[in-house]
Amino acid sequence: MTSLPSVRITYCTQCQWLLRAGWMAQELLSTFGADLREVVLVPGTGGVFTVTCDGHLVWDRKRDGGFPDAAKLKQLVRDVIDPERDLGHADRKGDRP
């Protein structure tokens, strides 16, 4: 039996990005539901906003230049947990690896 993947969203409390982190968590849970073990919100400081999935850094605000839109984040998480999964309207032609 394989364990389900975990997503970790670290957000800056100084920048007050809790609502953004919560919204991203909600989007991921709405899409992947029971296919995720958990989505964890982790408070941080210094302008941090990162998303990891099973230890893989899928988004870093500083590295990637801002925040992902929900569809892009879903694609990045999908690429880690189930690359063959079709996300329907959240998949844009040419975005799949």
Side-chain angles (χ1 to χ4, degrees):
M1 179 176 167
T2 61
S3 65
L4 295 173
S6 291
V7 174
R8 181 180 189 99
I9 301 173
T10 304
Y11 65 95
C12 180
T13 58
Q14 296 167 317
C15 302
Q16 301 196 15
W17 289 335
L18 173 60
L19 288 177
R20 182 183 304 267
W23 173 63
M24 294 289 182
Q26 178 182 334
E27 288 291 322
L28 292 174
L29 288 167
S30 294
T31 297
F32 298 105
D35 294 329
L36 293 174
R37 178 173 12 141
E38 61 190 2
V39 176
V40 179
L41 300 180
V42 181
T45 58
V48 66
F49 192 91
T50 59
V51 180
T52 60
C53 182
D54 271 0
H56 302 308
L57 181 63
V58 296
W59 191 269
D60 183 319
R61 184 190 67 81
K62 293 177 182 176
R63 178 193 73 187
D64 299 312
F67 300 96
D69 62 31
K72 182 64 177 176
L73 184 58
K74 291 175 187 182
Q75 291 167 4
L76 293 169
V77 169
R78 180 269 320 271
D79 292 347
V80 172
I81 67 172
D82 186 2
E84 298 303 314
R85 183 178 184 148
D86 182 15
L87 294 177
H89 72 280
D91 266 331
R92 289 183 231 128
K93 189 173 183 171
D95 283 348
R96 298 280 311 255

Coordinates of all heavy atoms in Angstrom, one line a residue:
M1 N 0.8 -1.2 0.0 CA 0.0 0.0 0.0 C 0.9 1.2 0.0 O 1.8 1.4 0.8 CB -0.9 0.0 1.2 CG -1.8 1.2 1.3 SD -2.8 1.0 2.8 CE -3.5 2.6 2.9
T2 N 0.6 2.2 -0.9 CA 1.4 3.4 -1.0 C 0.7 4.5 -0.2 O -0.5 4.5 -0.1 CB 1.6 3.9 -2.4 OG1 0.3 4.1 -3.0 CG2 2.3 2.8 -3.3
S3 N 1.5 5.3 0.4 CA 0.9 6.4 1.2 C 0.6 7.5 0.3 O 1.1 7.7 -0.8 CB 1.9 6.9 2.3 OG 3.0 7.4 1.7
L4 N -0.4 8.3 0.7 CA -0.9 9.4 -0.1 C 0.1 10.6 0.0 O 0.7 10.8 1.1 CB -2.3 9.8 0.4 CG -3.4 8.8 0.1 CD1 -4.7 9.3 0.8 CD2 -3.6 8.6 -1.3
P5 N 0.2 11.4 -1.0 CA 1.1 12.5 -0.9 C 0.6 13.7 0.0 O -0.6 13.8 0.2 CB 1.2 13.0 -2.4 CG -0.1 12.5 -3.0 CD -0.5 11.3 -2.3
S6 N 1.6 14.4 0.5 CA 1.3 15.6 1.3 C 1.7 16.9 0.6 O 2.7 16.9 -0.1 CB 2.0 15.5 2.6 OG 1.6 14.5 3.4
V7 N 0.9 17.9 0.7 CA 1.3 19.2 0.2 C 1.5 20.1 1.4 O 0.8 20.1 2.3 CB 0.2 19.8 -0.7 CG1 0.5 21.2 -1.2 CG2 0.0 18.8 -1.9
R8 N 2.6 21.0 1.3 CA 2.9 21.9 2.3 C 3.0 23.3 1.7 O 3.7 23.5 0.7 CB 4.3 21.5 2.9 CG 4.8 22.3 4.0 CD 6.1 21.7 4.4 NE 6.6 22.3 5.7 CZ 6.5 21.8 6.9 NH1 5.9 20.6 7.0 NH2 6.9 22.4 7.9
I9 N 2.2 24.2 2.2 CA 2.2 25.6 1.7 C 2.8 26.5 2.9 O 2.2 26.6 3.9 CB 0.8 26.1 1.4 CG1 0.2 25.2 0.2 CG2 0.9 27.5 0.9 CD1 -1.2 25.5 -0.1
T10 N 4.0 27.0 2.6 CA 4.6 27.9 3.6 C 4.3 29.4 3.2 O 4.6 29.7 2.0 CB 6.1 27.6 3.7 OG1 6.3 26.2 4.1 CG2 6.7 28.5 4.8
Y11 N 3.8 30.2 4.0 CA 3.4 31.5 3.7 C 3.9 32.5 4.7 O 4.2 32.2 5.8 CB 1.9 31.7 3.6 CG 1.2 31.4 4.9 CD1 0.9 32.5 5.8 CD2 0.9 30.2 5.4 CE1 0.3 32.3 7.0 CE2 0.4 30.0 6.7 CZ 0.1 31.1 7.4 OH -0.5 30.9 8.7
C12 N 4.1 33.8 4.3 CA 4.7 34.8 5.1 C 3.5 35.5 6.0 O 2.6 36.0 5.4 CB 5.4 35.9 4.3 SG 6.1 37.2 5.3
T13 N 3.7 35.4 7.3 CA 2.7 36.0 8.2 C 2.9 37.5 8.2 O 1.9 38.3 8.3 CB 2.9 35.5 9.6 OG1 4.2 35.7 10.1 CG2 2.5 34.0 9.7
Q14 N 4.1 38.0 8.0 CA 4.4 39.5 7.9 C 3.7 40.1 6.7 O 3.2 41.2 6.8 CB 5.9 39.7 7.9 CG 6.7 39.3 9.1 CD 8.2 39.3 8.8 OE1 8.6 38.9 7.8 NE2 8.9 39.8 9.8
C15 N 3.6 39.4 5.6 CA 3.0 39.9 4.4 C 1.5 39.6 4.4 O 0.8 40.0 3.5 CB 3.6 39.2 3.2 SG 5.4 39.5 3.1
Q16 N 1.0 38.9 5.4 CA -0.4 38.5 5.6 C -0.9 37.7 4.4 O -2.0 38.0 3.8 CB -1.2 39.8 5.8 CG -0.7 40.5 7.1 CD -1.7 41.5 7.6 OE1 -2.9 41.6 7.3 NE2 -1.2 42.4 8.5
W17 N -0.2 36.7 4.0 CA -0.6 35.8 2.9 C -1.4 34.6 3.3 O -1.5 33.6 2.6 CB 0.6 35.4 2.1 CG 1.2 36.6 1.3 CD1 0.5 37.7 0.9 CD2 2.6 36.8 0.9 NE1 1.4 38.5 0.2 CE2 2.6 38.0 0.2 CE3 3.7 36.0 1.0 CZ2 3.8 38.5 -0.4 CZ3 4.9 36.5 0.4 CH2 4.9 37.7 -0.2
L18 N -1.9 34.6 4.6 CA -2.7 33.4 5.0 C -3.9 33.2 4.1 O -4.2 32.0 3.8 CB -3.1 33.6 6.5 CG -4.1 32.6 7.0 CD1 -3.5 31.2 7.0 CD2 -4.5 33.0 8.4
L19 N -4.6 34.2 3.8 CA -5.8 34.0 2.9 C -5.4 33.4 1.6 O -6.1 32.5 1.1 CB -6.6 35.3 2.7 CG -7.3 35.8 4.0 CD1 -8.0 37.2 3.7 CD2 -8.3 34.8 4.4
R20 N -4.3 33.9 1.0 CA -3.9 33.3 -0.3 C -3.5 31.8 -0.1 O -3.9 31.0 -0.9 CB -2.7 34.1 -0.8 CG -2.2 33.6 -2.2 CD -1.0 34.4 -2.6 NE -1.2 35.8 -2.7 CZ -1.5 36.5 -3.7 NH1 -1.7 35.8 -4.9 NH2 -1.7 37.8 -3.7
A21 N -2.8 31.5 1.0 CA -2.4 30.1 1.2 C -3.6 29.3 1.4 O -3.7 28.1 0.9 CB -1.4 30.1 2.4
G22 N -4.6 29.8 2.2 CA -5.8 29.0 2.4 C -6.6 28.8 1.2 O -7.2 27.7 1.0
W23 N -6.6 29.8 0.3 CA -7.3 29.6 -1.0 C -6.7 28.6 -1.8 O -7.3 27.7 -2.4 CB -7.4 31.0 -1.7 CG -8.0 30.9 -3.1 CD1 -9.2 30.5 -3.4 CD2 -7.3 31.2 -4.3 NE1 -9.4 30.5 -4.8 CE2 -8.2 30.9 -5.3 CE3 -6.0 31.6 -4.6 CZ2 -7.8 31.1 -6.7 CZ3 -5.6 31.8 -5.9 CH2 -6.6 31.6 -6.9
M24 N -5.3 28.6 -1.9 CA -4.6 27.6 -2.7 C -4.9 26.2 -2.1 O -5.1 25.2 -2.8 CB -3.1 27.9 -2.7 CG -2.7 29.2 -3.4 SD -2.9 29.0 -5.1 CE -2.4 30.6 -5.7
A25 N -4.9 26.1 -0.8 CA -5.1 24.8 -0.1 C -6.5 24.3 -0.5 O -6.7 23.1 -0.8 CB -5.0 24.9 1.4
Q26 N -7.5 25.2 -0.5 CA -8.9 24.9 -0.8 C -9.0 24.4 -2.3 O -9.6 23.4 -2.6 CB -9.8 26.1 -0.6 CG -11.2 25.8 -1.0 CD -12.1 27.1 -0.9 OE1 -11.8 28.0 0.0 NE2 -13.1 27.2 -1.6
E27 N -8.3 25.1 -3.2 CA -8.3 24.7 -4.6 C -7.7 23.3 -4.8 O -8.2 22.5 -5.5 CB -7.5 25.7 -5.4 CG -8.2 27.0 -5.6 CD -9.4 26.9 -6.5 OE1 -9.4 26.1 -7.5 OE2 -10.4 27.6 -6.2
L28 N -6.6 23.0 -4.1 CA -6.0 21.7 -4.2 C -6.9 20.6 -3.6 O -7.0 19.5 -4.2 CB -4.6 21.7 -3.5 CG -3.5 22.5 -4.2 CD1 -2.3 22.6 -3.4 CD2 -3.2 22.0 -5.6
L29 N -7.5 20.9 -2.5 CA -8.3 19.9 -1.9 C -9.6 19.7 -2.7 O -10.1 18.5 -2.8 CB -8.7 20.3 -0.4 CG -7.6 20.2 0.6 CD1 -7.9 20.9 1.9 CD2 -7.3 18.7 0.8
S30 N -10.1 20.7 -3.3 CA -11.3 20.5 -4.2 C -11.0 19.7 -5.4 O -11.8 18.9 -5.9 CB -11.8 21.9 -4.7 OG -12.3 22.7 -3.6
T31 N -9.8 19.8 -5.9 CA -9.4 19.0 -7.1 C -8.9 17.6 -6.8 O -9.3 16.7 -7.5 CB -8.3 19.8 -7.9 OG1 -8.8 21.0 -8.3 CG2 -7.8 19.0 -9.1
F32 N -8.1 17.5 -5.8 CA -7.5 16.2 -5.5 C -8.1 15.4 -4.4 O -7.9 14.2 -4.3 CB -6.0 16.4 -5.3 CG -5.2 16.9 -6.4 CD1 -4.8 18.2 -6.4 CD2 -5.0 16.2 -7.6 CE1 -4.2 18.8 -7.5 CE2 -4.4 16.7 -8.7 CZ -3.9 18.0 -8.6
G33 N -8.9 16.1 -3.5 CA -9.7 15.5 -2.5 C -9.0 14.3 -1.8 O -8.0 14.5 -1.1
A34 N -9.6 13.1 -1.9 CA -9.1 12.0 -1.2 C -7.8 11.4 -1.7 O -7.2 10.5 -1.1 CB -10.2 10.9 -1.2
D35 N -7.2 12.0 -2.8 CA -5.9 11.6 -3.3 C -4.8 12.2 -2.6 O -3.6 11.9 -2.9 CB -5.9 11.9 -4.8 CG -6.9 11.1 -5.6 OD1 -7.2 9.9 -5.2 OD2 -7.3 11.6 -6.6
L36 N -5.1 13.1 -1.6 CA -4.0 13.7 -0.8 C -4.2 13.3 0.6 O -5.3 13.2 1.1 CB -4.1 15.3 -0.9 CG -3.8 15.9 -2.2 CD1 -4.1 17.4 -2.1 CD2 -2.4 15.7 -2.6
R37 N -3.1 13.1 1.3 CA -3.1 12.7 2.7 C -3.4 14.0 3.5 O -4.2 14.0 4.5 CB -1.7 12.2 3.2 CG -1.7 11.9 4.7 CD -0.4 11.2 5.1 NE 0.6 11.3 4.1 CZ 1.9 11.4 4.3 NH1 2.3 11.6 5.5 NH2 2.8 11.4 3.3
E38 N -2.8 15.1 3.1 CA -3.0 16.4 3.8 C -2.5 17.6 3.0 O -1.7 17.4 2.1 CB -2.3 16.4 5.2 CG -0.8 16.2 5.0 CD -0.1 16.0 6.3 OE1 -0.8 15.9 7.4 OE2 1.1 15.9 6.3
V39 N -3.1 18.7 3.3 CA -2.5 20.0 2.9 C -2.2 20.8 4.1 O -3.2 21.1 4.9 CB -3.5 20.7 1.9 CG1 -2.9 22.1 1.6 CG2 -3.7 19.9 0.7
V40 N -1.0 21.1 4.3 CA -0.6 21.8 5.6 C -0.2 23.2 5.3 O 0.5 23.5 4.3 CB 0.7 21.0 6.2 CG1 1.1 21.7 7.4 CG2 0.3 19.6 6.4
L41 N -0.7 24.1 6.1 CA -0.3 25.5 6.1 C 0.7 25.8 7.1 O 0.5 25.5 8.3 CB -1.5 26.4 6.3 CG -2.7 26.3 5.3 CD1 -3.8 27.2 5.6 CD2 -2.2 26.5 3.8
V42 N 1.9 26.3 6.7 CA 3.0 26.6 7.6 C 3.3 28.1 7.6 O 3.7 28.6 6.6 CB 4.2 25.8 7.2 CG1 5.4 26.0 8.2 CG2 3.9 24.3 7.1
P43 N 3.2 28.7 8.8 CA 3.5 30.1 8.9 C 5.0 30.3 8.8 O 5.8 29.6 9.3 CB 3.0 30.6 10.2 CG 2.8 29.4 11.0 CD 2.6 28.2 10.0
G44 N 5.4 31.4 8.1 CA 6.8 31.8 7.9 C 7.0 33.3 7.9 O 6.0 34.0 8.1
T45 N 8.2 33.7 7.6 CA 8.4 35.2 7.6 C 9.4 35.4 6.4 O 9.8 34.5 5.7 CB 9.1 35.7 8.9 OG1 10.3 34.9 9.1 CG2 8.2 35.5 10.1
G46 N 9.6 36.7 6.2 CA 10.6 37.1 5.2 C 10.1 37.0 3.7 O 10.9 36.8 2.8
G47 N 8.8 37.1 3.5 CA 8.3 37.1 2.1 C 8.2 35.7 1.5 O 8.1 35.5 0.3
V48 N 8.2 34.7 2.4 CA 8.2 33.3 1.8 C 6.8 32.9 1.4 O 5.8 33.2 2.0 CB 8.7 32.3 2.9 CG1 7.8 32.2 4.1 CG2 8.9 30.9 2.3
F49 N 6.8 32.2 0.2 CA 5.5 31.6 -0.2 C 6.0 30.4 -1.1 O 6.4 30.6 -2.3 CB 4.6 32.5 -1.0 CG 3.3 31.9 -1.2 CD1 2.2 32.1 -0.3 CD2 3.0 31.0 -2.3 CE1 1.0 31.5 -0.5 CE2 1.8 30.4 -2.5 CZ 0.8 30.6 -1.6
T50 N 6.0 29.2 -0.5 CA 6.5 28.0 -1.2 C 5.4 26.9 -1.1 O 4.6 26.9 -0.2 CB 7.8 27.5 -0.7 OG1 7.6 27.1 0.7 CG2 8.9 28.5 -0.8
V51 N 5.4 26.1 -2.1 CA 4.5 24.9 -2.1 C 5.4 23.7 -2.5 O 6.1 23.7 -3.5 CB 3.4 25.1 -3.2 CG1 2.5 23.8 -3.2 CG2 2.6 26.3 -3.0
T52 N 5.3 22.7 -1.6 CA 6.0 21.5 -1.8 C 5.0 20.3 -1.8 O 4.0 20.4 -1.2 CB 7.1 21.2 -0.7 OG1 6.5 21.1 0.5 CG2 8.2 22.3 -0.7
C53 N 5.3 19.3 -2.6 CA 4.5 18.1 -2.7 C 5.4 16.9 -2.5 O 6.3 16.7 -3.3 CB 3.8 18.1 -4.0 SG 2.7 16.6 -4.1
D54 N 5.2 16.2 -1.4 CA 6.1 15.1 -1.1 C 7.6 15.4 -1.1 O 8.4 14.7 -1.7 CB 5.8 13.9 -1.9 CG 4.7 13.0 -1.3 OD1 4.2 13.4 -0.2 OD2 4.3 12.0 -1.9
G55 N 7.9 16.6 -0.6 CA 9.3 17.0 -0.6 C 9.8 17.7 -1.9 O 10.9 18.2 -1.9
H56 N 9.1 17.7 -2.9 CA 9.5 18.4 -4.2 C 9.0 19.8 -4.2 O 7.8 20.0 -4.0 CB 8.9 17.7 -5.4 CG 9.2 16.2 -5.5 ND1 10.5 15.8 -5.5 CD2 8.4 15.1 -5.7 CE1 10.5 14.4 -5.7 NE2 9.3 14.0 -5.8
L57 N 9.9 20.7 -4.4 CA 9.5 22.1 -4.4 C 8.8 22.4 -5.8 O 9.4 22.3 -6.8 CB 10.7 23.0 -4.3 CG 10.4 24.5 -4.3 CD1 9.6 25.0 -3.1 CD2 11.8 25.3 -4.3
V58 N 7.5 22.7 -5.7 CA 6.8 22.9 -7.0 C 6.6 24.4 -7.3 O 6.4 24.7 -8.4 CB 5.4 22.1 -7.0 CG1 5.6 20.6 -7.0 CG2 4.5 22.6 -5.9
W59 N 6.6 25.2 -6.2 CA 6.5 26.7 -6.5 C 7.2 27.4 -5.4 O 7.1 27.1 -4.2 CB 5.0 27.1 -6.5 CG 4.9 28.5 -7.0 CD1 5.0 29.7 -6.2 CD2 4.8 28.9 -8.3 NE1 4.9 30.8 -7.0 CE2 4.8 30.3 -8.3 CE3 4.7 28.2 -9.5 CZ2 4.6 31.1 -9.5 CZ3 4.6 29.0 -10.7 CH2 4.6 30.3 -10.7
D60 N 8.0 28.4 -5.8 CA 8.7 29.3 -4.9 C 8.4 30.7 -5.4 O 8.9 31.0 -6.5 CB 10.2 29.0 -4.8 CG 10.9 29.8 -3.8 OD1 10.6 31.1 -3.7 OD2 11.8 29.3 -3.1
R61 N 7.8 31.6 -4.6 CA 7.5 32.9 -5.1 C 8.7 33.7 -5.5 O 8.7 34.4 -6.6 CB 6.8 33.7 -3.9 CG 6.3 35.1 -4.3 CD 5.9 35.9 -3.1 NE 7.0 36.2 -2.2 CZ 7.9 37.2 -2.4 NH1 7.8 38.0 -3.5 NH2 8.9 37.4 -1.6
K62 N 9.8 33.5 -4.8 CA 11.0 34.3 -5.2 C 11.6 33.7 -6.5 O 12.0 34.4 -7.4 CB 12.0 34.2 -4.1 CG 11.5 35.1 -2.9 CD 12.5 35.0 -1.7 CE 11.9 35.8 -0.5 NZ 12.8 35.6 0.7
R63 N 11.7 32.4 -6.6 CA 12.3 31.7 -7.7 C 11.4 31.8 -9.0 O 11.9 32.1 -10.1 CB 12.5 30.2 -7.4 CG 13.1 29.4 -8.6 CD 13.0 27.9 -8.4 NE 11.6 27.5 -8.5 CZ 11.1 26.3 -8.3 NH1 11.9 25.3 -7.8 NH2 9.9 26.0 -8.4
D64 N 10.1 31.7 -8.8 CA 9.2 31.6 -9.9 C 8.5 33.0 -10.3 O 7.8 33.0 -11.2 CB 8.1 30.5 -9.7 CG 8.8 29.2 -9.5 OD1 9.6 28.8 -10.4 OD2 8.5 28.5 -8.6
G65 N 8.8 34.0 -9.5 CA 8.3 35.3 -9.8 C 6.9 35.5 -9.5 O 6.0 35.7 -10.4
G66 N 6.5 35.5 -8.2 CA 5.2 35.8 -7.8 C 4.4 34.6 -7.3 O 5.0 33.6 -6.9
F67 N 3.1 34.7 -7.6 CA 2.2 33.6 -7.1 C 1.7 32.8 -8.3 O 1.4 33.4 -9.4 CB 1.1 34.2 -6.3 CG 1.6 34.9 -5.1 CD1 1.7 36.2 -5.1 CD2 1.9 34.2 -3.9 CE1 2.1 36.9 -4.0 CE2 2.3 34.8 -2.8 CZ 2.4 36.2 -2.8
P68 N 1.5 31.5 -8.2 CA 0.8 30.8 -9.3 C -0.7 31.0 -9.3 O -1.3 31.4 -8.3 CB 1.1 29.3 -8.9 CG 1.1 29.3 -7.4 CD 1.7 30.7 -7.0
D69 N -1.3 30.9 -10.5 CA -2.7 30.9 -10.4 C -3.1 29.5 -10.1 O -2.3 28.5 -10.0 CB -3.3 31.4 -11.8 CG -3.0 30.5 -13.0 OD1 -2.8 29.3 -12.8 OD2 -2.9 31.1 -14.1
A70 N -4.4 29.3 -9.7 CA -4.8 28.0 -9.2 C -4.6 26.9 -10.2 O -4.2 25.8 -9.9 CB -6.3 28.1 -8.8
A71 N -4.9 27.2 -11.5 CA -4.8 26.1 -12.5 C -3.3 25.7 -12.7 O -3.1 24.5 -12.8 CB -5.3 26.6 -13.9
K72 N -2.4 26.6 -12.6 CA -1.0 26.3 -12.7 C -0.5 25.5 -11.6 O 0.2 24.5 -11.7 CB -0.1 27.6 -12.9 CG 1.3 27.3 -13.0 CD 1.6 26.6 -14.3 CE 3.1 26.4 -14.5 NZ 3.4 25.6 -15.7
L73 N -1.0 25.8 -10.4 CA -0.6 25.1 -9.2 C -1.1 23.7 -9.2 O -0.4 22.7 -8.9 CB -1.0 25.8 -7.9 CG -0.6 25.1 -6.6 CD1 0.9 25.0 -6.5 CD2 -1.1 25.9 -5.4
K74 N -2.3 23.5 -9.7 CA -2.9 22.2 -9.8 C -2.1 21.3 -10.8 O -1.9 20.1 -10.6 CB -4.4 22.3 -10.2 CG -5.3 22.8 -9.2 CD -6.7 23.0 -9.8 CE -7.6 23.7 -8.8 NZ -9.0 23.8 -9.3
Q75 N -1.7 21.9 -11.9 CA -0.9 21.2 -12.9 C 0.4 20.8 -12.3 O 0.9 19.6 -12.5 CB -0.6 22.1 -14.1 CG -1.9 22.3 -14.9 CD -1.6 23.5 -15.9 OE1 -0.6 24.0 -16.1 NE2 -2.7 23.8 -16.6
L76 N 1.1 21.6 -11.5 CA 2.4 21.3 -10.9 C 2.3 20.2 -9.9 O 3.1 19.3 -9.8 CB 3.0 22.6 -10.3 CG 3.4 23.6 -11.3 CD1 3.7 24.9 -10.6 CD2 4.5 23.2 -12.2
V77 N 1.2 20.3 -9.1 CA 1.0 19.2 -8.1 C 0.6 17.9 -8.8 O 1.2 16.8 -8.4 CB -0.1 19.6 -7.0 CG1 -0.5 18.4 -6.2 CG2 0.4 20.8 -6.2
R78 N -0.2 18.0 -9.8 CA -0.6 16.8 -10.5 C 0.7 16.1 -11.1 O 0.8 14.9 -11.1 CB -1.6 17.2 -11.6 CG -2.1 16.0 -12.5 CD -1.3 15.8 -13.8 NE -0.8 16.9 -14.5 CZ -1.4 17.6 -15.4 NH1 -2.6 17.3 -15.8 NH2 -0.8 18.6 -16.0
D79 N 1.6 16.9 -11.7 CA 2.8 16.4 -12.3 C 3.6 15.6 -11.3 O 4.4 14.7 -11.7 CB 3.6 17.5 -12.9 CG 2.9 18.1 -14.1 OD1 1.9 17.5 -14.6 OD2 3.3 19.2 -14.6
V80 N 3.5 15.9 -10.0 CA 4.3 15.1 -9.0 C 3.5 13.9 -8.6 O 4.1 12.8 -8.5 CB 4.5 16.0 -7.8 CG1 5.1 15.2 -6.6 CG2 5.5 17.2 -8.1
I81 N 2.2 14.0 -8.3 CA 1.4 12.9 -7.8 C 0.8 11.9 -8.8 O 0.7 10.8 -8.5 CB 0.4 13.4 -6.8 CG1 -0.7 14.1 -7.5 CG2 1.0 14.2 -5.7 CD1 -1.9 14.4 -6.6
D82 N 0.5 12.4 -10.0 CA -0.2 11.6 -11.0 C -0.1 12.2 -12.3 O -1.1 12.8 -12.8 CB -1.6 11.3 -10.6 CG -2.3 10.3 -11.5 OD1 -1.7 9.8 -12.4 OD2 -3.5 10.1 -11.3
P83 N 1.1 12.1 -13.0 CA 1.3 12.9 -14.3 C 0.3 12.5 -15.4 O 0.1 13.3 -16.3 CB 2.7 12.4 -14.7 CG 3.4 12.0 -13.4 CD 2.3 11.4 -12.6
E84 N -0.3 11.4 -15.3 CA -1.3 11.0 -16.4 C -2.7 11.5 -16.1 O -3.5 11.4 -17.0 CB -1.3 9.5 -16.5 CG 0.0 8.9 -16.9 CD 0.5 9.4 -18.2 OE1 -0.2 9.5 -19.2 OE2 1.7 9.8 -18.3
R85 N -2.9 12.1 -15.0 CA -4.2 12.6 -14.6 C -4.7 13.7 -15.5 O -3.9 14.7 -15.7 CB -4.3 13.0 -13.1 CG -5.6 13.4 -12.7 CD -5.6 13.8 -11.2 NE -6.9 14.1 -10.7 CZ -7.3 13.8 -9.5 NH1 -6.5 13.3 -8.6 NH2 -8.5 14.2 -9.1
D86 N -5.9 13.7 -16.0 CA -6.5 14.8 -16.7 C -7.2 15.8 -15.8 O -8.0 15.3 -15.0 CB -7.4 14.2 -17.8 CG -8.0 15.3 -18.6 OD1 -7.5 16.4 -18.7 OD2 -9.1 15.0 -19.3
L87 N -6.8 17.0 -15.9 CA -7.4 18.0 -15.0 C -8.6 18.7 -15.7 O -9.1 19.7 -15.2 CB -6.4 19.0 -14.5 CG -5.3 18.5 -13.6 CD1 -4.3 19.6 -13.3 CD2 -5.9 17.9 -12.3
G88 N -9.0 18.3 -16.8 CA -10.1 18.9 -17.5 C -9.9 20.3 -17.9 O -8.8 20.6 -18.5
H89 N -10.7 21.2 -17.5 CA -10.6 22.6 -17.9 C -9.3 23.3 -17.3 O -8.9 24.3 -17.8 CB -11.8 23.4 -17.5 CG -11.9 23.6 -16.0 ND1 -12.4 22.6 -15.1 CD2 -11.6 24.7 -15.2 CE1 -12.4 23.1 -13.9 NE2 -11.9 24.3 -13.9
A90 N -8.8 22.7 -16.2 CA -7.6 23.3 -15.7 C -6.3 23.0 -16.5 O -5.3 23.5 -16.2 CB -7.4 22.8 -14.2
D91 N -6.4 22.0 -17.4 CA -5.3 21.7 -18.3 C -5.4 22.6 -19.5 O -6.5 22.6 -20.2 CB -5.3 20.2 -18.7 CG -4.5 19.4 -17.8 OD1 -3.5 19.9 -17.3 OD2 -4.8 18.2 -17.7
R92 N -4.4 23.3 -19.8 CA -4.4 24.0 -21.1 C -3.5 23.3 -22.1 O -2.4 22.8 -21.7 CB -3.8 25.5 -20.8 CG -4.8 26.3 -20.0 CD -4.3 27.7 -19.8 NE -4.4 28.0 -18.4 CZ -3.4 28.4 -17.6 NH1 -2.2 28.6 -18.1 NH2 -3.6 28.6 -16.3
K93 N -3.9 23.3 -23.3 CA -3.1 22.7 -24.3 C -1.7 23.2 -24.3 O -1.4 24.4 -24.3 CB -3.7 22.9 -25.7 CG -3.1 22.1 -26.8 CD -3.8 22.2 -28.1 CE -3.2 21.3 -29.1 NZ -3.9 21.2 -30.3
G94 N -0.7 22.3 -24.3 CA 0.7 22.7 -24.3 C 1.3 22.8 -22.9 O 2.5 23.0 -22.8
D95 N 0.5 22.8 -21.9 CA 1.0 22.9 -20.5 C 1.5 21.5 -20.0 O 2.2 21.5 -19.0 CB 0.0 23.5 -19.6 CG -0.2 25.0 -19.7 OD1 0.7 25.6 -20.4 OD2 -1.1 25.5 -19.2
R96 N 1.1 20.4 -20.6 CA 1.4 19.1 -20.1 C 2.9 18.8 -20.5 O 3.3 19.2 -21.5 CB 0.5 18.0 -20.7 CG -0.9 18.1 -20.4 CD -1.4 17.6 -19.0 NE -0.9 16.3 -18.6 CZ -1.7 15.2 -18.6 NH1 -2.9 15.3 -19.0 NH2 -1.2 14.1 -18.1
P97 N 3.6 18.1 -19.6 CA 5.0 17.8 -19.9 C 5.1 16.8 -21.1 O 4.2 16.1 -21.4 CB 5.6 17.2 -18.6 CG 4.4 16.8 -17.8 CD 3.2 17.6 -18.3

